[in-house]
């Protein structure tokens, strides 16, 4: 089965073609970061309009790169939610139109399931069951994964997600959008010994996260350092390092606790924050001592992308799922509403 995947949930337009026999054939991505940077965050209306402009040229490019024509496509998968409703509608409308014109099925895919399954695109993929840490945009979740669609939420952020906290701290430090990579780059020059920030909720039972208090602690530290003067670059770097260390330690502690609780030895980390180098290194060190493994998507597939949607769609389409006549996009869509399925025969899954 050859599946066209479309991702338009927020500020990246992604298109890909995935074949269950041959794997990923082609993918392309357009990021709207430069457009939104001047506003300090994503402007939903601008995001939707840019998806309209970009998605068809990307579609043509990907079909050419995959050496495919419409007659080769067996189904169209698109991000059905969660996400910005206007942005979701761009991908959904195009996907359903193409599917109707080509005489093939269409299917709306859960955005976070796409992230969760993105490591399956790698040559060495994790085997079920495993614990997944999903750190994407407004989501920070720990999920037990027994098979595709068989998910049990173990813990999640009760306020700011990790990615949101990075973005807000970046604004405090006067850094441009998007904040995560900017804070990480600044932190690389910081002194890890100067400040010690709290590791929120690690001294209480459970696997939930909270980063709002850490954000407030960062703001207080900034004001104390600045006083009546402008904050120095050294102060900014040291504060960024302390903040990043606190977030990384918190995520690592909770991941280790989740694996111990579930009696598992495999962790999957996916989403934009999973590209953070310090987090990857700390997890590798922490889990190797416990004879556990951690799997990540390739860097190109950490952020939103069409490949993960094409793969997740291929899995569900092969299991017989298709859009009904009343299909709609879902800006909010709990993962526990998804049904469990088996991976398609021949797909790059364990």
């Amino acid at each position: 089965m050859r599946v066209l995947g479309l991702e338009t949930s927020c500020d990246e337009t992604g298109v890909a073609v995935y074949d269950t026999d041959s794997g990923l054939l082609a993918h392309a991505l357009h990021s709207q970061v430069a457009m939104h940077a001047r506003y300090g965050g994503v402007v939903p209306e601008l995001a939707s309009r840019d998806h309209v402009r970009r998605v068809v040229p990307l579609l043509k490019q990907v079909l050419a790169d995959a050496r495919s024509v419409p007659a080769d496509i067996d189904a169209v998968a698109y991000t059905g939610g969660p996400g910005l409703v206007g942005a979701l509608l761009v991908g959904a409308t195009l996907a359903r139109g193409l599917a109707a014109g080509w005489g093939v099925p269409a299917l709306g895919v859960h955005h976070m399931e796409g992230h969760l399954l993105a490591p399956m695109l790698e040559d060495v993929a994790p085997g079920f069951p495993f614990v997944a840490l999903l750190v994407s945009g407004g989501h920070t979740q720990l999920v037990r994964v027994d098979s595709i669609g068989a998910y049990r939420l173990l813990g999640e952020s009760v306020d700011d997600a990790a990615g949101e906290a990075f973005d807000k701290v970046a604004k405090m430090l006067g850094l441009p959008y998007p904040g995560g990579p900017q804070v990480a780059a600044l932190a690389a020059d910081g002194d890890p010994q100067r400040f010690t920030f709290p590791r929120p909720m690690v001294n209480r039972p459970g696997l939930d996260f909270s980063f709002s208090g850490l954000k407030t602690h960062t703001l207080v530290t900034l004001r104390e350092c600045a006083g009546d003067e402008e904050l120095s670059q050294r102060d900014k770097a040291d504060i960024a390092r302390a903040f990043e260390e606190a977030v990384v330690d918190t995520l690592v502690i909770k991941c280790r606790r989740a694996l111990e609780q579930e009696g598992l030895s495999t962790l999957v980390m996916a989403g934009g924050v999973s590209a953070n180098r310090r987090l990857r290194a700390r997890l590798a060190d922490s889990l190797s001592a416990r004879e556990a493994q951690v799997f990540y998507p390739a860097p190109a597939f950490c952020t939103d992308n069409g490949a993960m949607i094409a793969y997740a769609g291929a899995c569900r389409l092969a299991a017989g799922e298709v859009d009904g006549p009343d299909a709609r996009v879902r800006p909010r869509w709990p993962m526990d509403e998804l049904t469990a399925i088996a991976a398609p025969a021949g797909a790059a899954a364990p």
Side-chain angles (χ1 to χ4, degrees):
M1 176 184 290
R2 188 165 294 190
V3 179
L4 173 69
L6 304 178
E7 157 59 27
T8 63
S9 65
C10 189
D11 60 345
E12 280 143 338
T13 311
V15 182
V17 174
Y18 179 85
D19 190 286
T20 53
D21 292 325
S22 306
L24 184 63
L25 301 182
H27 69 96
L29 183 74
H30 172 75
S31 173
Q32 300 177 0
V33 164
M35 180 179 71
H36 295 295
R38 72 187 70 176
Y39 306 104
V42 177
V43 181
E45 177 65 19
L46 295 180
S48 301
R49 291 177 180 273
D50 200 60
H51 286 310
V52 172
R53 285 193 294 268
R54 306 290 182 176
V55 68
V56 172
L58 284 177
L59 169 63
K60 293 178 178 178
Q61 174 189 333
V62 167
L63 286 176
D65 291 345
R67 298 182 180 179
S68 298
V69 295
D72 297 324
I73 302 300
D74 299 304
V76 183
Y78 62 93
T79 303
L84 302 175
V85 64
L88 291 169
L89 283 169
V90 175
T93 302
L94 177 59
R96 294 174 192 166
L98 291 174
W102 296 345
V104 299
L107 180 66
V109 171
H110 195 288
H111 179 77
M112 295 308 295
E113 181 171 64
H115 276 301
L116 188 153
L117 297 179
M120 302 297 187
L121 293 164
E122 302 306 304
D123 292 336
V124 179
F128 301 114
F130 57 79
V131 170
L133 172 65
L134 302 178
V135 276
S136 172
H139 299 84
T140 300
Q141 299 176 323
L142 279 165
V143 181
R144 179 185 172 109
V145 181
D146 288 300
S147 65
I148 297 176
Y151 309 134
R152 178 163 57 87
L153 182 65
L154 303 175
E156 62 184 338
S157 179
V158 298
D159 42 54
D160 285 358
E164 291 174 321
F166 267 105
D167 285 341
K168 291 175 181 178
V169 167
K171 287 185 178 180
M172 297 178 196
L173 293 168
L175 301 174
Y177 170 86
Q182 301 290 339
V183 172
L186 181 61
D189 295 325
D191 179 0
Q193 305 301 321
R194 182 177 175 190
F195 300 107
T196 300
F197 283 9
R199 275 58 172 163
M201 297 183 72
V202 299
N203 293 322
R204 66 179 69 178
L207 295 169
D208 285 336
F209 301 91
S210 172
F211 294 105
S212 179
L214 178 59
K215 178 190 66 179
T216 302
H217 186 91
T218 304
L219 179 60
V220 170
T221 305
L222 281 166
R223 289 174 174 171
E224 289 176 348
C225 285
D228 297 327
E229 305 294 330
E230 184 176 349
L231 202 66
S232 70
Q233 191 66 17
R234 170 52 54 196
D235 289 336
K236 290 183 179 181
D238 293 345
I239 290 171
R241 180 63 177 267
F243 169 78
E244 185 185 45
E245 291 278 356
V247 173
V248 166
D249 280 353
T250 300
L251 293 174
V252 170
I253 290 168
K254 292 299 179 89
C255 285
R256 190 170 61 237
R257 185 180 296 176
L259 290 172
E260 292 170 353
Q261 172 184 299
E262 299 301 308
L264 299 176
S265 59
T266 302
L267 176 74
V268 164
M269 187 169 68
V273 181
S274 69
N276 183 282
R277 294 181 179 179
R278 197 176 308 281
L279 177 57
R280 289 192 176 208
R282 196 72 55 81
L283 271 175
D285 289 343
S286 177
L287 297 185
S288 62
R290 289 167 170 75
E291 297 184 347
Q293 286 184 293
V294 58
F295 293 83
Y296 313 94
F301 302 137
C302 288
T303 57
D304 297 348
N305 63 88
M308 69 183 192
I309 301 303
Y311 176 80
C315 293
R316 292 195 169 273
L317 286 156
E321 293 190 16
V322 296
D323 274 356
D326 59 345
R328 56 189 175 87
V329 298
R330 300 184 60 179
R332 297 182 182 274
W333 188 359
M335 281 187 68
D336 59 12
E337 295 182 7
L338 297 174
T339 56
I341 61 166

